[in-house]
Amino acid sequence: MRNHFFTTILVLFIVTSYGQQHYSKSVLLMGSDFKITVVANSKQEGEKYINLAIAEIERIEQLISSWDPNSQTSLINKNAGINPVVVNQELFDLIQRSKKLSELTGGAFDVSFASMDKIWKFDGSVTTMPPANEVKASVEKVGHDNIVMNPEATTVFLRKKGMKIGFGAIGKGYAADKAKELLIAKGVTAGIINASGDLTTWGNKPDGKPWVVGIKNPLNKNKVFAWFPVDNRAIVTSGNYEKYVVINGTRYTHIINPKTGYPSQGVISASVFAPKAELADALATSIFVLGIERGLYFINQLNGVDCVIVTDTGKIHYSNNIQNEIQEN
């Protein structure tokens, strides 16, 4: 559904001499840049914890990857319209939550988006609108209602042959949450998992202050328009201003509405604050499809969730509760 612009979020670190310090490592995982930061007593301890987080993210990737022909997700897709597939409880629960998020967002978020025929290209080769009948046909196999779950047998069945599920709009957030959960269980008191813009935090910096993130204006990447303290929650920023095509003077971006098959318009970046990165990940995608007014209204109905939206005219919109936290430049 969308790609992250992972230069958007800046994290403000402070290293102190009071004992614990933060230790970080950047690594390519799930096809994206991950930066793992932990607060630890020594470099050796920090490296040990970071390696645990890396191993957990690799485990998640093997579970949910649709590129790995041996993954359970690939087996579900191969058996679409044929047979239900038995999966482990973790994957079953993730798909179940994804279906609930689809219901919550009215289909703006949908893991069966992977079924869509890729008729839009954003490499400069498209100069005219795709035929309307092709656009309509591209979404025929998309629809969370056709994902059949059997809790007793822990099976997943895609009703339509050719249907696919994919976790591109939720997978990195889920992996970040699971790595955080593991490190907390191992006794790590503070840290950040940054999965190319899917960022989750816990604890405080070594000086006792909250972690602080800055969100860049997508129309001017050298400028941070606001700083926010992030206290044991996640922030996910997604944007669509780098991949687009202009047809007859109108700009069409790469985030596609899974219900219509047409690119979303109006929003160029959305940052969502939520208790978990998985949730923030899905909601950041949904805002593009819902649009500015519906997106803000929707977020304002959710407890513990906030957002910052930037439009294609450069106007910045904030959800109601986040106004009290903003530290504008």
Side-chain angles (χ1 to χ4, degrees):
M1 288 183 187
R2 49 92 178 157
N3 292 327
H4 289 298
F5 55 99
F6 50 82
T7 57
T8 293
I9 296 179
L10 302 177
V11 184
L12 184 62
F13 295 114
I14 297 179
V15 180
T16 71
S17 58
Y18 303 135
Q20 286 194 322
Q21 297 183 355
H22 84 262
Y23 300 90
S24 299
K25 183 176 183 178
S26 296
V27 60
L28 184 65
L29 296 164
M30 303 179 74
S32 301
D33 292 320
F34 275 67
K35 185 172 185 179
I36 301 165
T37 300
V38 298
V39 172
N41 295 309
S42 67
K43 181 180 179 181
Q44 182 179 14
E45 184 180 69
E47 288 178 347
K48 179 186 76 172
Y49 290 135
I50 288 171
N51 288 335
L52 286 174
I54 291 172
E56 177 69 354
I57 294 164
E58 290 174 338
R59 183 188 71 81
I60 297 297
E61 182 175 19
Q62 291 177 352
L63 180 69
I64 69 174
S65 173
S66 56
W67 301 105
D68 180 354
N70 298 313
S71 73
Q72 292 184 17
T73 300
S74 291
L75 290 175
I76 293 169
N77 292 341
K78 288 175 184 175
N79 283 275
I82 303 171
N83 293 306
V85 174
V86 178
V87 300
N88 69 21
Q89 191 67 50
E90 181 178 6
L91 181 59
F92 185 92
D93 291 344
L94 177 61
I95 298 172
Q96 189 82 288
R97 291 196 302 275
S98 296
K99 277 178 61 67
K100 289 179 180 178
L101 282 168
S102 294
E103 295 167 4
L104 180 68
T105 61
F109 168 83
D110 197 324
V111 291
S112 71
F113 177 84
S115 312
M116 184 175 286
D117 296 328
K118 306 299 187 292
I119 61 173
W120 293 91
K121 294 180 175 60
F122 301 93
D123 56 5
S125 63
V126 174
T127 57
T128 59
M129 290 289 287
N133 63 321
E134 291 185 12
V135 175
K136 182 179 179 181
S138 73
V139 298
E140 286 181 351
K141 296 182 179 69
V142 178
H144 62 91
D145 290 339
N146 290 311
I147 304 173
V148 182
M149 314 289 292
N150 184 328
E152 288 75 25
T154 61
T155 60
V156 181
F157 178 56
L158 307 182
R159 281 199 181 103
K160 296 185 178 182
K161 198 155 188 177
M163 265 190 84
K164 294 179 182 178
I165 58 171
F167 299 97
I170 199 171
K172 290 192 293 294
Y174 176 64
D177 286 336
K178 292 298 288 185
K180 169 183 171 179
E181 183 182 305
L182 174 65
L183 292 180
I184 290 174
K186 295 294 183 180
V188 180
T189 58
I192 297 177
I193 310 294
N194 187 351
S196 293
D198 292 17
L199 183 150
T200 187
T201 71
W202 71 102
N204 293 318
K205 294 181 294 184
D207 64 355
K209 296 179 181 178
W211 303 105
V212 177
V213 300
I215 300 178
K216 290 183 179 180
N217 190 325
L219 298 177
N220 183 356
K221 298 181 190 177
N222 296 317
K223 180 177 174 57
V224 174
F225 65 78
W227 294 92
F228 299 89
V230 185
D231 183 11
N232 195 32
R233 60 178 175 169
I235 172 174
V236 170
T237 299
S238 61
N240 65 359
Y241 59 90
E242 292 181 331
K243 293 176 66 177
Y244 62 89
V245 62
V246 178
I247 301 174
N248 296 328
T250 301
R251 190 172 86 161
Y252 297 91
T253 54
H254 77 282
I255 299 179
I256 309 296
N257 185 327
K259 299 175 74 174
T260 68
Y262 285 94
S264 59
Q265 292 181 280
V267 177
I268 61 171
S269 79
S271 299
V272 174
F273 296 78
K276 288 185 175 291
E278 175 189 317
L279 176 62
D281 207 351
L283 295 182
T285 301
S286 302
I287 285 173
F288 282 88
V289 176
L290 293 170
I292 301 158
E293 291 185 6
R294 290 175 63 207
L296 279 173
Y297 178 81
F298 174 65
I299 295 297
N300 284 330
Q301 311 309 306
L302 303 178
N303 291 329
V305 178
D306 300 294
C307 73
V308 180
I309 303 173
V310 183
T311 71
D312 52 10
T313 62
K315 188 172 182 180
I316 303 169
H317 299 263
Y318 303 99
S319 60
N320 292 342
N321 294 330
I322 207 167
Q323 294 283 7
N324 297 326
E325 302 178 33
I326 193 169
Q327 303 171 16
E328 291 194 37
N329 284 1

